Amino acid sequence: MRVLIIGGGAAGVTAATRLRRLDENAEIIILEQGDALSVSNCGLLYYLGGEVRERDELINTTPEKLKRQYNIDARLNAEVEFINRQEKTVTIKDKGKEYYDKLVFTIGAYQLRPDIDGVLAEQVFTIRDLASIERIKNYIKDFEPARAIIVGVETAEVLHKLKIDTAIVEAADHILSGDFDNDIAAGIQNLLRGKGIKIYLNTKVEAFGDKSVSLSNGQKLDYDMAIIATGVKPDLKLSILSDLEVGETGGLVVNEYMQTSDKDIYAAGDDVEVLHMITRKPV
């Protein structure tokens, strides 16, 4: 059996190593479009802030280790452009086709960029992977920004530690509205304000200019860089091209065996829709 796994993050590498334990003879190939496998995404901000000094500290395994320990063929910089379900092949950018008996999607999610004027400017960043953190680190090193705008909350603490004057712009009536209620959020907000971080609630960014952002409350804030941290969305480009079923929450539909609407294609991780264990509703 030949199994291709698209995506070399935690879900993809876990699927590959588990499959090897179940089947000594399967041919297992991981196709990762980036330049690193199994990155500890929770540590990305610590790398940005300097607590993690070297990028390799966030990389849990390498193609060489997977080959040596599990006889798994992991390929970096291998971007899948197209899937032919009838031929059971995938097309890899600049590298031809590979066939499969079973296919596993572990592509993950991408950081949302809201539809705001100027959001694609070179000083406006999102965070997804090591490469995105490297871009931010290089920008801070090269341009030494003094002021930053955070749309969301993710990186405020890190930029504050880097001695960058930081402001959070939040559309809801309190920060972390998806995780905490008003009472707990108020304590966090007070802590951040005590550190000198400005917070603008019930406010949206309407436009990113060259040197200032326009807010929905009529204010303008000077800035040198901005980071969008407003949440993630399943990366379904290949799923849609493959005509696989997408659920009401925007995730790829899977059954209890993590099979998609194609019995030979499985999926796991941030790009799937599953039933919430408590509410029993799709999430």
Side-chain angles (χ1 to χ4, degrees):
M1 181 172 65
R2 196 169 205 255
V3 181
L4 299 186
I5 299 173
I6 304 176
V13 173
T14 299
T17 54
R18 177 61 178 157
L19 178 59
R20 173 57 72 224
R21 292 185 178 99
L22 295 172
D23 187 342
E24 292 183 2
N25 300 312
E27 183 179 3
I28 306 168
I29 300 172
I30 299 174
L31 301 172
E32 166 56 43
Q33 70 174 355
D35 63 356
L37 291 172
S38 195
V39 175
S40 298
N41 286 335
C42 292
L44 289 175
L45 293 179
Y46 295 106
Y47 178 46
L48 175 60
E51 289 92 340
V52 173
R53 294 188 176 276
E54 301 295 333
R55 73 193 302 271
D56 288 352
E57 296 179 51
L58 297 176
I59 299 174
N60 294 313
T61 191
T62 65
E64 293 76 21
K65 287 181 181 178
L66 286 178
K67 187 66 176 178
R68 183 173 63 250
Q69 294 178 356
Y70 297 99
N71 192 27
I72 291 170
D73 180 4
R75 305 177 189 177
L76 302 178
N77 302 305
E79 180 181 353
V80 175
E81 293 185 306
F82 185 72
I83 297 167
N84 188 319
R85 289 169 51 194
Q86 285 69 43
E87 294 181 358
K88 300 183 78 169
T89 62
V90 304
T91 302
I92 306 167
K93 185 176 181 180
D94 300 326
K95 297 179 181 178
K97 294 183 179 181
E98 295 283 352
Y99 78 89
Y100 66 87
D101 296 306
K102 302 292 182 183
L103 186 65
V104 184
F105 276 35
T106 57
I107 301 171
Y110 64 90
Q111 178 67 57
L112 291 169
R113 275 189 186 258
D115 185 15
I116 300 173
D117 287 344
V119 75
L120 298 179
E122 64 178 9
Q123 71 270 26
V124 180
F125 301 90
T126 60
I127 293 175
R128 174 173 181 170
D129 50 21
L130 269 174
S132 65
I133 293 293
E134 295 281 9
R135 285 192 290 271
I136 297 171
K137 285 175 72 74
N138 290 336
Y139 185 88
I140 292 173
K141 178 182 177 182
D142 293 342
F143 295 97
E144 299 181 349
R147 298 162 303 234
I149 302 295
I150 311 295
V151 183
V153 180
E154 294 287 329
T155 54
E157 178 188 17
V158 173
L159 295 185
H160 174 72
K161 286 182 177 179
L162 294 174
K163 302 189 184 307
I164 297 174
D165 185 19
T166 302
I168 298 171
V169 179
E170 173 57 56
D173 60 359
H174 64 275
I175 63 173
L176 302 170
S177 58
D179 301 301
F180 301 112
D181 59 20
N182 271 305
D183 293 341
I184 296 178
I188 300 171
Q189 288 163 186
N190 289 337
L191 178 66
L192 293 175
R193 287 177 176 132
K195 292 178 177 292
I197 296 172
K198 304 176 186 68
I199 301 176
Y200 298 84
L201 301 174
N202 298 303
T203 306
K204 296 181 180 180
V205 172
E206 294 192 331
F208 290 99
D210 290 338
K211 293 295 182 181
S212 67
V213 298
S214 300
L215 304 183
S216 58
N217 62 8
Q219 286 183 267
K220 285 185 179 290
L221 301 180
D222 293 335
Y223 83 119
D224 301 303
M225 66 178 294
I227 295 179
I228 307 293
T230 52
V232 297
K233 186 176 183 179
D235 189 342
L236 297 181
K237 179 177 69 174
L238 284 175
S239 306
I240 293 170
L241 287 175
S242 306
D243 198 27
L244 297 174
E245 183 182 357
V246 175
E248 60 187 73
T249 67
L252 192 57
V253 172
V254 292
N255 63 17
E256 65 268 35
Y257 305 110
M258 306 307 288
Q259 280 176 306
T260 68
S261 52
D262 183 320
K263 66 180 179 61
D264 291 321
I265 300 180
Y266 294 73
D270 287 342
D271 54 355
V272 304
E273 175 181 282
V274 295
L275 284 181
H276 194 288
M277 294 181 68
I278 297 174
T279 67
R280 308 308 297 171
K281 293 180 179 180
V283 293

